[in-house]
Amino acid sequence: MVNKGKVALRFLMATGFVMTSAGIYVANPGMGWAAPADQEVSKQAKEGLSIFESVTKTNTNLTGWQIKGKGKLADTVEGILLTSDPQENVMAISETVSEDFIYEADVMIKDMQADATLLFRSNEDGWGSYMLQIVPNAGMIRLRDASDGEGKLKEERKVTIKAGEIYHLKVKAEGSSLKVYWDNEYKPLIEVQDDAYRTGKLGLNVWNGSVLFQNIFVSDLKGNLGAVVTNKGQWQPNINGKKGMAVNQMKSQQIYNKQAADFVYEGNLSLRPDSVAALAFRSSADGTKGYEAALTKEGNQVRVSLTKANGTTIASSQHTYPSQAGAKHHVEIKARGNRIQVFLDGYTPAAIDLTDKTYTDGYAGIVVKQGTAYFQDTYVTDASNYYSEKYRPQYHYTPIRGSASDPNGLVYFEGEYHLFHQDGGTWAHSVSKDMLNWKRLPIALPWNDHGHVWSGSAVADLTNASGLFGDSGGKGLIGYYTSYNPDGPNGNQRIGLAYSKDQGRTWEYSKTRPMVIENPGDNGGEPGGWDFRDPKVIRDNDNNRWVMVVSGGDHIRFFTSTNLLDWTLTDSWGYGDYVRGGVWECPDLLQLSVDGTSQKKWVLMISTGANSKTGGSDAEYFVGHLTADGKFVNDNPAGKVLRTDFGKEFYASMSFSNMPDHRSVMMAWMTNWDYPFAFPTSHWKGVLSIPREVSLVTTKDGIQLAQSPIKELGSLRSQLYSTANKEVIPSSQNLLKGVTSGAYEIEAEVEIPAGSQVSEFGFNVRVGGSQKT
């Protein structure tokens, strides 16, 4: 039995009710007195049933719901059904507090007379807040200050609303910036600046009827750490993940129920100035024991240390690492037995590498020891499962999680190779020193205000030709990407620009030149709706310029520039007899020597989507030269097809820019458009080809592309078995009996004796059960 009197008393104390001779009034701290409680308090509140510890049937990450006003809440499998009394307001206000966030929900209009509202940055009673309302009867959405009055925020937009339909409502709040998104539109329908409220609770409101709310979410920490078992200090969901604040020299700490002994623990951390934050591991459930891999923000640098939960420092990094304002730092902890390694931002060697046996297993968590920090994408993987899942290749690039399709922005800079690739319309990012061992970094180019970030390329601006790097040593990286606006005709594909001043760790979208080339349309056609994507930029030293090639659907467009910002169209190439069906996309352009001599040729590569005329996905190349005025001239006649690869699983190939020693190396997406989203893998999808070094050789059929695995692959080999001078006949014992390996290479010399009648020879590999290759 619930003691209703005690529950009601706790509620009254928690929400600031005061008993007076006139009845119950609501104390609204900082906002004066609210209306009499008989206008504010729900039937449940009067009965002492106002606090809902959790909503279990509705899909939401908000907790601790309270009902205010006149009406009722029903937690159903279809969602939260919030029903007000006639001509009254009812509010469901959660205990979840946030200042900067994305808050969204699916809303089913049950009653055209009922207004449905998302409350945010709200006080206790909901009347000191922002209200994002669907007003079905008026056919509009409205963003308003709940307190109303002269000079208060009130923005309205007309929309089409029908009873029984489900609409997606979303608000993005960052500081004074408020953006409202309607249904599935990418561009905000309302965009205003207002600073009446900077933080507060999240909730729902209905006036005069019933509304069903489902999938009610606020942006929060993503990862696999599980449920919180210990929560100390101040934490809030935030647009950047989980925000933690250390108050009065007391650290804030969340320990989760994810346990591991040997593991890889990854997470992204952002720190405010003079802050200290950490990933906790091998921790006790209460957080008093265990390790903490901590970052200390020191101006525009950050230092790594390994401490115990009691504050004892075990080790600190020998040097600091760059930390721009707003930088997201990727921390990777590898713990196996007594060895603990802590990597930061993909730099090698490890910032911390030592042996310590104080703690051998335990829980994972997040900690803010000083100041304010944000955590995102926290994942723990058992060491035994790390890159060892079924179907996971061992020396081809695959993402630890997420998706990999088109390689983007391959570039060498300051001793590192940068690999970007498509992952849901963003640029995922990894770095390597040898093109084989990759360290994953946070998403480099997420969706932005202009749209999704599709494929493109990157260059190293070593002379500050762009003028973007005057304050960062006169050099940096520039990325050119396809901006795809889901609201525009065919995405209104345009060429956007981003850049990095800190060795590719932090990327900014240009504010002064966000788009460097607008969609020109087809030849003479209307601009905006034509395929126009996948920019590849390369340096043309012979003509002291930069060259960009862009897919134009059924042709390739050439542009030139001297400053990497202003581009001039010089050629539209590939019409007429070149068209075989299928879109031309993901072009690459590189200059290669012929037979290792001083003679050079330009090679243009393309990929074509699955098409009957090309036999499925295809990769082709053309050999020729560039004229002084920027036109491409093919050495071969139109219709002569030179295939980059004879399999279907080689798509969107791209070469590294700015490679040392005049090498040319390319990688490709190792799949095709017949089945790109049906892989039988979990948590990750997609594989890239091994890096291939390319050159041009003269053959009887003319100059053609030659490819070979990069020499660095040799560093992965170790001898497993060898034998010599063995004769093999059908009845011979298996020379390789007992030799097993997950990944291996076989080299052999085979001689067929004179007069032998052998008709078949080779190797059986991956033999097991009734299967073999």
Side-chain angles (χ1 to χ4, degrees), residues 17 22-26 35-42 46 69-70 88:
F17 278 70
I24 302 175
Y25 280 73
V26 182
D38 60 354
Q39 298 177 20
E40 303 279 338
V41 183
S42 69
K46 293 176 181 177
K70 293 187 175 182
E88 296 288 351

Side-chain angles (χ1 to χ4, degrees), residues 155 157 177-180 187-193 449:
E155 291 283 336
R157 300 290 186 273
S177 172
L178 305 177
K179 296 179 181 179
V180 173
K187 183 180 180 180
L189 191 60
I190 298 174
E191 188 171 359
V192 297
Q193 297 286 328
D449 290 342

Side-chain angles (χ1 to χ4, degrees), residues 110-306:
K110 305 283 285 186
D111 183 348
M112 290 295 287
Q113 302 304 314
D115 295 350
T117 301
L118 300 187
L119 290 173
F120 59 97
R121 291 181 176 171
S122 175
N123 65 350
E124 291 288 342
D125 65 19
W127 293 110
S129 68
Y130 290 114
M131 303 181 98
L132 175 54
Q133 301 177 309
I134 300 177
V135 189
N137 197 36
M140 69 169 60
I141 60 171
R142 177 191 294 134
L143 177 64
R144 57 172 285 220
D145 188 324
S147 64
D148 219 346
E150 187 69 26
K152 300 290 187 179
L153 174 65
K154 188 176 182 179
E155 291 283 336
E156 298 175 338
R157 300 290 186 273
K158 286 288 186 180
V159 293
T160 300
I161 303 171
K162 297 180 180 179
E165 294 292 323
I166 298 174
Y167 300 97
H168 191 72
L169 198 56
K170 179 172 75 174
V171 59
K172 181 179 181 180
E174 288 185 281
S176 61
S177 172
L178 305 177
K179 296 179 181 179
V180 173
Y181 299 85
W182 172 245
D183 220 15
N184 293 316
E185 295 177 1
Y186 189 83
K187 183 180 180 180
L189 191 60
I190 298 174
E191 188 171 359
V192 297
Q193 297 286 328
D194 192 270
D195 57 5
Y197 311 102
R198 285 303 183 99
T199 188
K201 296 188 174 184
L202 303 171
L204 310 170
N205 166 261
V206 170
W207 180 81
N208 193 36
S210 295
V211 177
L212 189 67
F213 298 88
Q214 182 60 283
N215 302 317
I216 311 161
F217 285 100
V218 63
S219 45
D220 205 345
L221 180 68
K222 300 174 184 176
N224 69 345
L225 300 187
V228 175
V229 295
T230 295
N231 183 27
K232 299 177 182 178
Q234 294 190 19
W235 295 94
Q236 290 182 1
N238 188 273
I239 198 168
N240 294 311
K242 183 72 76 177
K243 178 184 178 182
M245 296 153 282
V247 180
N248 298 327
Q249 306 302 312
M250 297 293 291
K251 73 179 181 181
S252 289
Q253 184 180 50
Q254 284 195 337
I255 303 299
Y256 295 79
N257 66 0
K258 182 71 173 182
Q259 290 182 270
D262 295 341
F263 56 85
V264 177
Y265 182 12
E266 300 171 273
N268 298 329
L269 279 69
S270 299
L271 290 80
R272 290 206 181 153
D274 303 317
S275 295
V276 182
L279 299 183
F281 61 99
R282 290 180 175 174
S283 172
S284 59
D286 62 2
T288 59
K289 298 179 181 179
Y291 297 110
E292 295 173 350
L295 303 185
T296 301
K297 181 85 167 177
E298 302 174 358
N300 61 355
Q301 299 285 305
V302 68
R303 187 178 299 278
V304 185
S305 60
L306 182 67

Side-chain angles (χ1 to χ4, degrees), residues 348-411:
T348 52
I352 303 289
D353 191 346
L354 52 75
T355 57
D356 188 275
K357 57 183 180 180
T358 308
Y359 309 107
T360 57
D361 62 14
Y363 299 87
I366 55 179
V367 180
V368 178
K369 307 170 81 169
Q370 177 180 309
T372 301
Y374 305 84
F375 299 80
Q376 189 56 284
D377 298 319
T378 50
Y379 291 90
V380 172
T381 307
D382 288 335
S384 60
N385 296 328
Y386 192 72
Y387 275 96
S388 61
E389 307 97 318
K390 187 177 183 180
Y391 302 123
R392 171 84 75 175
Q394 293 301 293
Y395 57 90
H396 291 73
Y397 175 89
T398 54
I400 179 60
R401 65 191 62 85
S403 174
S405 52
D406 300 357
N408 298 152
L410 305 187
V411 62

Side-chain angles (χ1 to χ4, degrees), residues 601-624:
K601 291 284 186 180
W602 286 94
V603 177
L604 171 66
M605 298 183 181
I606 64 166
S607 292
T608 61
N611 181 274
S612 59
K613 293 184 179 179
T614 58
S617 293
D618 198 16
E620 303 176 22
Y621 69 94
F622 309 91
V623 179

